[in-house]
Amino acid sequence: MTLPFNLYSEIVSLAGRHASEDGENQTAIEALGISRRSAPSAPCHGSYRPCLAMVIQGAKSLQLGTDTINYGAGDYLLTSLDLPVAWRVVEASKEVPHFCISFTLSSEKLLDLMSRAHIERPAEQVNGQRGIMVNTATPELLDAAIRLMRLLDRPDDIPAMAPLIEQEILYRILTGPAGGQLMNIVASDSQGNRIARAIAWLRENFARQLRIEELAEHVGMSVSSFHHHFKSITAMTPVQYQKQLRLHEARRLMLLERLDAGTAGHRVGYQSPSQFSREYSRVYGVSPSRDIGAARETMAAE
């Protein structure tokens, strides 16, 4: 498939019109978001939910457990399940902003499409694959993305046309290089789906004491198999995953609800304020008070 040479110029133009301010911009299409940054950023900690994120200008770097993932214009990041990460924009300027379009993935829509299109699920790899992968966007995927973006200039067409193009994007993902991993996450009888269910439990119960044996039993796996597949997919152990969730939530509580460090740490499951401070500093690079103080100054300046 041959695409016009100015495809990226058109996508950048559309993104600039519909995301005029830095930050995460939700569009009139529910599943579509546009991220804009006018300068390189410091590391940002948070969670990536199942989505496709395609860089159309600039570049980003992401840390997942022990993995560092770099991707730039023309690449798409596919996240198949909820994962705590640290990311930063590494290439951006006022003249040439970083733009990334994100497309939310729905397990229900993926399963429905798999059944109707008779897309065969590949054999699940013994060692699994990471829950985040980067690939170069194919011409077919780019073509569908630009047609979805064009609907932002024709809002009356969105209700009728967006669902059709969104289904095409899902099809391009499923039949692309990362489709097998995605299928093995949403399929109910797979090891990947069992890890996804364990992650859902951890997200809802991160403040509780983690008992690996009980969680493995909850998702129908042996302890050894659970440990192996969890780390293979997430690049971290269940305990490390829980720690990331706790620290991210504690930071949110201190920053947005203005709780002190001791109260926030206790709220997310830490019994020892000193342990909370140590682990917070290890992840964020500074103490809770210094980090939150600097974050509030930045927010006030903006």
Side-chain angles (χ1 to χ4, degrees):
M1 181 178 186
T2 302
L3 296 174
F5 73 92
N6 62 344
L7 176 67
Y8 279 100
S9 296
E10 182 180 359
I11 300 179
V12 168
S13 177
L14 283 163
R17 290 203 303 277
H18 295 280
S20 57
E21 301 293 332
D22 276 10
E24 308 302 317
N25 297 268
Q26 181 57 48
T27 72
I29 299 172
E30 184 178 1
L32 181 66
I34 304 172
S35 174
R36 176 179 182 140
R37 293 291 187 280
S38 299
S41 69
C44 301
H45 297 259
S47 291
Y48 274 17
R49 301 297 177 91
C51 73
L52 175 146
M54 185 186 301
V55 174
I56 55 177
Q57 189 164 271
K60 293 181 76 172
S61 180
L62 178 145
Q63 191 75 31
L64 172 68
T66 57
D67 294 354
T68 299
I69 302 168
N70 299 307
Y71 57 114
D75 295 331
Y76 70 91
L77 183 86
L78 183 66
T79 306
S80 56
L81 67 175
D82 295 356
L83 293 169
V85 299
W87 60 267
R88 62 190 181 95
V89 172
V90 297
E91 186 180 312
S93 67
K94 288 184 178 180
E95 296 76 19
V96 186
H98 164 82
F99 283 115
C100 181
I101 59 174
S102 60
F103 180 77
T104 303
L105 300 179
S106 162
S107 296
E108 293 76 15
K109 291 180 180 179
L110 286 166
L111 287 168
D112 176 64
L113 180 58
M114 286 168 59
S115 64
R116 288 188 292 106
H118 304 293
I119 302 173
E120 291 189 15
R121 195 179 106 207
E124 192 167 9
Q125 296 187 17
V126 174
N127 292 323
Q129 289 177 301
R130 291 287 190 253
I132 286 182
M133 294 150 285
V134 170
N135 288 284
T136 300
T138 63
E140 292 80 8
L141 180 58
L142 283 169
D143 180 57
I146 187 62
R147 284 186 280 110
L148 187 67
M149 291 282 287
R150 286 172 184 156
L151 292 180
L152 298 176
D153 285 341
R154 304 192 303 272
D156 290 344
D157 291 348
I158 290 176
M161 298 303 298
L164 301 178
I165 302 175
E166 289 173 5
Q167 180 171 267
E168 180 181 349
I169 289 174
L170 293 179
Y171 178 79
R172 299 302 179 192
I173 297 170
L174 287 173
T175 55
Q181 169 67 352
L182 189 57
M183 283 186 265
N184 282 325
I185 291 292
V186 300
S188 61
D189 61 340
S190 68
Q191 300 285 36
N193 183 263
R194 293 185 178 95
I195 298 303
R197 298 205 312 270
I199 283 174
W201 187 92
L202 284 168
R203 294 194 69 85
E204 294 176 3
N205 301 279
F206 60 83
R208 293 175 55 181
Q209 182 178 359
L210 176 58
R211 301 184 186 280
I212 300 297
E213 295 81 3
E214 293 179 3
L215 184 53
E217 183 180 1
H218 175 70
V219 297
M221 299 177 74
S222 68
V223 172
S224 61
S225 178
F226 176 66
H227 264 293
H228 173 76
H229 286 282
F230 195 100
K231 190 165 186 178
S232 177
I233 290 173
T234 68
M236 62 192 89
T237 67
V239 172
Q240 290 169 332
Y241 186 99
Q242 182 194 50
K243 186 184 299 182
Q244 293 283 333
L245 293 180
R246 285 180 167 184
L247 294 174
H248 290 177
E249 174 62 10
R251 189 175 193 271
R252 187 194 70 81
L253 291 171
M254 290 186 289
L255 188 59
L256 301 182
E257 299 189 21
R258 294 189 170 271
L259 297 186
D260 62 80
T263 303
H266 187 267
R267 182 82 62 88
V268 300
Y270 282 94
Q271 302 302 314
S272 166
S274 60
Q275 182 187 4
F276 168 69
S277 183
R278 283 196 307 272
E279 294 189 354
Y280 191 100
S281 299
R282 192 175 299 123
V283 169
Y284 291 101
V286 293
S287 67
S289 59
R290 289 185 61 187
D291 178 47
I292 299 303
R296 286 174 180 163
E297 288 180 6
T298 300
M299 292 172 63
E302 295 175 349

